Amino acid sequence: MRGMGNMQNMMKQMQKMQKKMAEAQEELAVKEFEGTAGGGMVTVKISGQKEVVDVLIKEEAVDPDDIEMLQDLVLAATNDALKKVDEETNKTMGQFTKGMNLPF
């Protein structure tokens, strides 16, 4: 019968961890991450759910003769913001998966 007590205790611990993981995921979802490029000429804001919520382009970044540069700046700023989301997600959720080697 002793093994049953350990099993119940382990199940309670797992439920606590699941609840904490869900709370951490909710907190990440409402955060916003900002990526920039071109010394701040382009800024992209992304939610923790990896949805673009805002794109800011300074007037001096707009050159009708060089649309490619603007496209590159938007791409770079977006990738910068996405990288920050991934880093924060790994840092936040990694505490729950230490040693488990689970992907997100």
Side-chain angles (χ1 to χ4, degrees):
M1 281 297 203
R2 205 165 188 199
M4 287 297 281
N6 283 343
M7 184 63 107
Q8 286 177 334
N9 195 21
M10 198 165 85
M11 292 299 289
K12 285 181 185 177
Q13 292 297 321
M14 287 294 288
Q15 288 172 340
K16 276 185 186 177
M17 188 172 84
Q18 284 177 326
K19 184 178 179 191
K20 286 182 179 181
M21 283 177 70
E23 289 169 358
Q25 285 175 322
E26 286 174 25
E27 287 174 21
L28 276 170
V30 297
K31 282 187 178 181
E32 281 191 6
F33 299 84
E34 193 172 283
T36 60
M41 293 203 330
V42 174
T43 301
V44 174
K45 293 181 183 178
I46 295 182
S47 74
Q49 294 178 314
K50 295 187 176 181
E51 293 177 351
V52 175
V53 294
D54 201 6
V55 177
L56 304 166
I57 301 172
K58 290 190 175 176
E59 192 175 321
E60 56 268 24
V62 181
D63 179 354
D65 296 325
D66 195 0
I67 297 298
E68 253 182 49
M69 182 191 74
L70 181 56
Q71 291 169 333
D72 289 344
L73 289 173
V74 172
L75 268 176
T78 303
N79 286 331
D80 185 41
L82 286 169
K83 181 180 169 193
K84 290 176 181 175
V85 173
D86 287 341
E87 287 171 353
E88 183 71 15
T89 299
N90 289 336
K91 186 173 90 177
T92 301
M93 300 310 291
Q95 65 184 325
F96 299 108
T97 59
K98 281 183 187 148
M100 289 187 208
N101 208 11
L102 297 175
F104 284 104

